Amino acid sequence: MSTDTGLELGPKALDSSVGEFVKTNEAYYSKEFAKIQGTTGFPWSWNTMAAVCGPLWGAFRGAWGFFWIFLVLELFAFVQLGRGIWGELGADQIAKVERLTIKIAERKQQAIDALAASDQAAADLAEKIASNLTKAAEKAQAAADAAAGEAMMILAVGVLLLIAVKILEGFYANMSYEKLYLKWRARPASVQTGPRNSSLIFGAFLLVAIWPLTLFRFTVSNPDGVLAKLTNGFIGERLPITEFPVGKQYFAYWAKKGDVAFEWLAFKFGDVFDGVTASIRAVLDGLEIILIETPWPVVMIVIVVMAYRLAGIRVAIFTAAALAYLAFMGLWELSMITVALIGAGAALCIIFGIPLGIWFGKSRRAFAFAEPILDFMQTMPAFVYLIPIIAFFGTGKPPGVLATIIFAMPPVIRLTGLGMRGVPEATKEAAIAFGCSKRQLLFNVELPLAMPSIMTGINQTILMSLSMVVIASLIGAEGLGALILEALQYAAKGQGLLGGLAILFCAMVIDRIAQGMYKKKMAGD
């Protein structure tokens, strides 16, 4: 009898498949696997070979999850054993005592010289410093003695930990191997069957490569010096393990090359960068004229009415309360500058991001090319964006908008593409069968079905634009971000909290209006 997945049932079938999987010790593993599968609680299945050989048993059997888990656990136990047996506990304190002893001798000599020169004040000062250094040396010596006295306790902890790890290996091995067996039943080609000498050799190589150096690093006070003596200077001197032997000179060389490249690009394409900056500044100036130069009650009324018409009464009430907070806290102008920055950045992200997302949703080749770029844009720390932006576009509000675009555009691109790929093929085929053109298919079928995902992307883009407001203030973007930056510099907690709430309300108003507009449209449809 077999299930739909092809997994045979019954003791004989189980014995046969287990034998095919394990290759050796078929009777033992058939019995243990049956025990594990027939027990609802802990099966108490013991594997002596796994307990004795530890990670090497896992490598031999292809149980690499078991191998890595117990490689780390055994290494931790051996580190404690090494610290207890040969570890130079308190070596750092002893070195401190030696350094202090030299300084004490220097200060005492200074006192003697000062007395010889009849400078009693200098002599007294040197004696006082020497006395203080002596007290510090005594404390360091006491700490070193205390650390050395802990050797037996650390050794006992290491022994107990190693025993516990070995017991855990013995009881966990068969359960781990049985899970691997089930995985093999489902996907035979993806799992190693039976023991392999090549896997054992590779596992042993990993142990030799990882354990000795790690033990030296955590149990010897000067591991490079010890290794240099053992390897005639090859490891430890020419190839130190406490720091990478090369790289600093290459870093300095390529850093200078990067500076030259940025300067060349800024000079060569300066007109292009100036044009981009001027375009964004024009958009910001227009938004600020509308939001700031217009009397604030007028702007407030228009925004509340727009929220009511587009998103409903609840969003209108929330919008009115949020704008009232901004006005009565004296943050209206700063808030409108922030809204202009967020609005410009988010609008540009949406204008460029949705078409790109549609393209990537339709073309797997284009998405495969763009995916690493989107990963780079999302994972690179936001502060790093500021370096090329300052080099090419200077400081101020337009560079802040550009930094926001780089940081906040990937979500709308990804989620738009996800929504487009999520449209059922049957629906598209039916629309084409009824005579839909490509344009009609896109605007009447695909985009409406993908709209929930697209709106989620817009929401994420708005929130990420908000998160860039404070960071953009570092390069001269004004608004509430500058207020938060000032609060950070002077530890003004109240100012920072009130400014943070203002930023939150600005973003929530924009997001609630956008989301409410979509929900109202869907409810009307």
Side-chain angles (χ1 to χ4, degrees):
M1 180 179 178
S2 63
T3 65
D4 293 337
T5 59
L7 302 181
E8 297 177 346
L9 304 177
K12 293 183 178 179
L14 178 64
D15 291 346
S16 175
S17 63
V18 169
E20 186 180 352
F21 172 69
V22 301
K23 304 295 186 183
T24 59
N25 294 340
E26 176 183 344
Y28 168 77
Y29 283 110
S30 297
K31 174 186 173 184
E32 297 302 320
F33 287 1
K35 180 195 294 186
I36 292 170
Q37 294 175 7
T39 304
T40 55
F42 190 78
W44 299 102
S45 176
W46 174 261
N47 190 318
T48 304
M49 188 60 67
V52 172
C53 299
L56 290 177
W57 175 88
F60 193 43
R61 286 286 178 180
W64 290 104
F66 178 95
F67 171 85
W68 286 110
I69 290 171
F70 289 102
L71 178 143
V72 174
L73 292 178
E74 285 197 12
L75 175 59
F76 186 72
F78 285 134
V79 166
Q80 301 308 311
L81 290 173
R83 291 180 63 209
I85 296 172
W86 68 76
E88 300 173 12
L89 300 177
D92 55 339
Q93 296 296 328
I94 293 173
K96 183 178 180 181
V97 171
E98 293 175 353
R99 293 194 302 269
L100 290 173
T101 302
I102 295 173
K103 291 182 179 179
I104 291 168
E106 291 175 354
R107 292 297 181 178
K108 287 184 176 180
Q109 184 61 44
Q110 288 178 3
I112 294 172
D113 295 340
L115 287 173
S118 301
D119 190 348
Q120 187 63 42
D124 292 342
L125 178 61
E127 286 288 350
K128 185 176 181 180
I129 294 174
S131 176
N132 291 336
L133 292 175
T134 301
K135 292 179 182 178
E138 290 173 354
K139 289 182 179 179
Q141 185 63 52
D145 295 339
E150 295 176 355
M152 290 303 297
M153 184 177 69
I154 293 174
L155 179 60
V157 169
V159 171
L160 292 175
L161 183 60
L162 183 60
I163 293 172
V165 170
K166 289 297 180 183
I167 293 173
L168 185 60
E169 286 172 344
F171 281 115
Y172 180 68
N174 288 338
M175 291 189 289
S176 173
Y177 203 36
E178 189 266 344
K179 290 180 181 178
L180 200 64
Y181 161 71
L182 295 178
K183 183 179 178 181
W184 170 79
R185 293 287 298 270
R187 298 194 302 273
S190 64
V191 178
Q192 171 184 323
T193 57
R196 289 185 187 175
N197 290 329
S198 59
S199 297
L200 177 62
I201 293 171
F202 182 62
F205 167 76
L206 291 175
L207 287 182
V208 172
I210 294 172
W211 277 5
L213 292 179
T214 308
L215 283 171
F216 266 101
R217 179 66 181 86
F218 289 103
T219 60
V220 179
S221 61
N222 183 21
D224 284 329
V226 175
L227 288 173
K229 292 179 181 178
L230 294 176
T231 61
N232 197 23
F234 178 73
I235 299 177
E237 186 176 332
R238 284 181 287 178
L239 187 64
I241 66 169
T242 55
E243 63 177 12
F244 200 74
V246 296
K248 293 182 179 179
Q249 65 271 33
Y250 299 120
F251 178 84
Y253 172 79
W254 286 108
K256 291 179 181 178
K257 289 293 184 181
D259 292 340
V260 172
F262 276 119
E263 292 172 1
W264 180 83
L265 288 171
F267 175 77
K268 192 73 174 178
F269 300 99
D271 294 338
V272 176
F273 299 140
D274 291 341
V276 173
T277 302
S279 301
I280 295 176
R281 183 176 287 111
V283 174
L284 288 173
D285 290 343
L287 289 172
E288 289 181 4
I289 288 173
I290 296 172
L291 297 172
I292 298 174
E293 300 299 329
T294 305
W296 71 266
V298 175
V299 176
M300 185 173 180
I301 291 171
V302 170
I303 294 176
V304 172
V305 171
M306 184 173 63
Y308 171 71
R309 297 287 296 174
L310 295 177
I313 185 65
R314 289 186 178 182
V315 175
I317 293 172
F318 172 78
T319 301
L323 295 178
Y325 171 85
L326 301 178
F328 289 107
M329 284 293 173
L331 300 174
W332 182 264
E333 183 173 344
L334 292 177
S335 299
M336 293 303 104
I337 293 173
T338 300
V339 169
L341 290 171
I342 295 175
L348 290 171
C349 288
I350 293 167
I351 289 171
F352 292 106
I354 290 179
L356 287 172
I358 293 172
W359 180 30
F360 298 153
K362 287 178 168 291
S363 173
R364 293 190 178 275
R365 182 176 298 178
F367 180 70
F369 174 79
E371 188 173 19
I373 300 174
L374 295 175
D375 292 339
F376 174 83
M377 292 169 67
Q378 284 189 290
T379 56
M380 181 65 69
F383 286 99
V384 178
Y385 296 140
L386 304 182
I387 298 171
I389 284 174
I390 292 173
F392 298 145
F393 302 100
T395 58
K397 297 175 186 176
V401 172
L402 288 170
T404 301
I405 292 172
I406 296 173
F407 185 71
M409 188 183 291
V412 72
I413 294 176
R414 287 183 182 277
L415 289 169
T416 299
L418 180 64
M420 295 296 294
R421 289 191 295 274
V423 177
E425 290 295 330
T427 303
K428 292 190 285 186
E429 290 173 1
I432 293 172
F434 278 100
C436 271
S437 64
K438 289 184 178 181
R439 184 178 180 280
Q440 291 173 326
L441 179 66
L442 174 63
F443 287 99
N444 297 334
V445 178
E446 292 177 314
L447 284 179
L449 292 175
M451 192 55 66
S453 181
I454 295 173
M455 292 306 298
T456 303
I458 292 174
N459 170 268
Q460 293 300 308
T461 291
I462 291 172
L463 295 179
M464 294 184 76
S465 299
L466 161 71
S467 69
M468 282 297 294
V469 169
V470 178
I471 296 174
S473 66
L474 294 171
I475 57 174
E478 300 174 4
L480 293 170
L483 184 71
I484 301 298
L485 183 62
E486 181 181 343
L488 288 171
Q489 291 173 338
Y490 297 103
K493 297 174 281 296
Q495 175 181 325
L497 177 61
L498 295 175
L501 288 174
I503 294 176
L504 174 65
F505 287 145
C506 290
M508 288 181 69
V509 166
I510 297 173
D511 177 64
R512 293 297 184 271
I513 292 175
Q515 295 290 332
M517 180 177 60
Y518 168 69
K519 291 178 182 177
K520 189 173 181 181
K521 181 178 181 299
M522 293 299 295
D525 292 342

